[in-house]
Amino acid sequence: MTGRLKPLVAGNWKMNGLRSSLEEIRAIAAFAGAGLPPLADIVICPPATLLTAAAEICKGSLLHLGGQDCRAEISGAHTGDISAEMLADAGASYVILGHSERRAGHGESNAAVQAKSQAAFRAGLIPIICVGETQAERDAGLALEVVGGQLSGSIASSAEGRIPVVAYEPIWAIGTGVIPTQKDIVEMHAFIRRELGINLASQGDAVEILYGGSVKPHNAGELARLENVNGVLVGGASLKSADFIQIVKAFA
Ligand code: PGA
């Protein structure tokens, strides 16, 4: 972990969660209760259908909420889409953008992710921009090149100097229970830090770089000790408050 940056632990619920799941958010919000010194920023990104109810629960707590995607436009004839302004209005302060499931499943290009990032800043949200290589790309020795291209193509900073969060999520580690070696994570995060310096100049040092992909309570401690790992983006293990809280504790 880079000492100067406050860790960020974010949960991505993906397409999971009904109103009955709000109990998990209630438990995390209670853990992140007001009055405790905030040692880490904690974010849950539930499906958009739960944001408003979750925001009610989070009132007075230090648990932040995020969306899982947004459209770049403010409003208009875009059936089924959600704007960054709508997410902010529903109580979000973050938004995950360019997740590999969106890049692959919805054909999102780097340029589309960058436009969404600018929309997030416009709406006052902090974008969490995801990058990561496939197994084939890693096997071919292309991991750094692929991630470098995604970064320079997708990231944006705001005119007022606000900066994104970046999440490195190797696609082969998502939902598989397999994570890269510590050496590979440290190498990639150091590379991302250098690239951020090129893309965002001095602001690059202030960007939190999260690791994501099969983060669980049992491996969070070792991840938290790695250089330039400023937090984690957690999928499956964020659905159960007890597991997620254990992961937060490893970073707090
Ligand atoms: P996982 O998902 O923790 O279930 O591997 C991570 C993600 O896709 O953000």
Side-chain angles (χ1 to χ4, degrees):
M1 214 168 5
T2 304
R4 301 170 283 121
L5 297 184
K6 188 171 168 192
L8 170 65
V9 178
N12 173 11
W13 278 17
K14 308 191 180 184
M15 199 175 73
N16 296 292
L18 302 174
R19 280 184 295 166
S20 54
S21 320
L22 290 168
E23 286 314 307
E24 303 298 328
I25 290 188
R26 200 180 303 283
I28 299 165
F31 168 75
L36 286 178
L39 299 171
D41 286 320
I42 313 174
V43 186
I44 288 287
C45 303
T49 48
L50 294 181
L51 270 177
T52 310
E56 276 300 309
I57 292 171
C58 290
K59 267 190 190 150
S61 105
L62 295 171
L63 174 60
H64 303 285
L65 295 171
Q68 299 177 9
D69 177 49
C70 70
R71 187 164 175 119
E73 290 82 358
I74 295 179
S75 62
H78 305 294
T79 303
D81 286 344
I82 296 174
S83 70
E85 280 74 8
M86 290 170 174
L87 293 174
D89 185 53
S93 41
Y94 290 79
V95 59
I96 298 170
L97 294 175
H99 190 282
S100 60
E101 288 153 15
R102 299 226 34 112
R103 287 181 188 265
H106 296 261
E108 290 189 4
S109 64
N110 289 328
V113 176
Q114 190 172 52
K116 290 172 182 218
S117 305
Q118 279 153 353
F121 285 126
R122 182 188 67 215
L125 302 177
I126 300 172
I128 301 176
I129 300 172
C130 301
V131 295
E133 81 285 358
T134 63
Q135 182 73 63
E137 288 162 342
R138 176 156 286 272
D139 292 346
L142 296 172
L144 297 184
E145 195 179 309
V146 167
V147 168
Q150 289 173 335
L151 264 183
S152 60
S154 314
I155 58 170
S157 59
S158 77
E160 309 78 47
R162 292 172 54 240
I163 51 172
V165 172
V166 168
Y168 168 56
E169 298 205 305
I171 295 169
W172 49 275
I174 295 176
T176 58
V178 178
I179 71 168
T181 63
Q182 294 190 9
K183 183 173 163 290
D184 285 346
I185 294 174
V186 169
E187 181 193 35
M188 182 60 85
H189 280 235
F191 170 75
I192 291 173
R193 179 70 66 207
R194 280 196 302 277
E195 292 293 301
L196 287 169
I198 295 167
N199 287 291
L200 297 176
S202 60
Q203 285 182 313
D205 283 342
V207 173
E208 289 155 321
I209 307 174
L210 314 184
Y211 167 78
S214 296
V215 177
K216 306 289 176 198
H218 73 83
N219 58 26
E222 79 189 45
L223 289 166
R225 285 190 291 276
L226 300 181
E227 186 68 20
N228 279 311
V229 174
N230 310 118
V232 279
L233 180 55
V234 185
S238 70
L239 294 169
K240 289 213 179 90
S241 54
D243 287 350
F244 186 70
I245 288 169
Q246 262 193 276
I247 294 169
V248 173
K249 282 180 176 165
F251 280 86

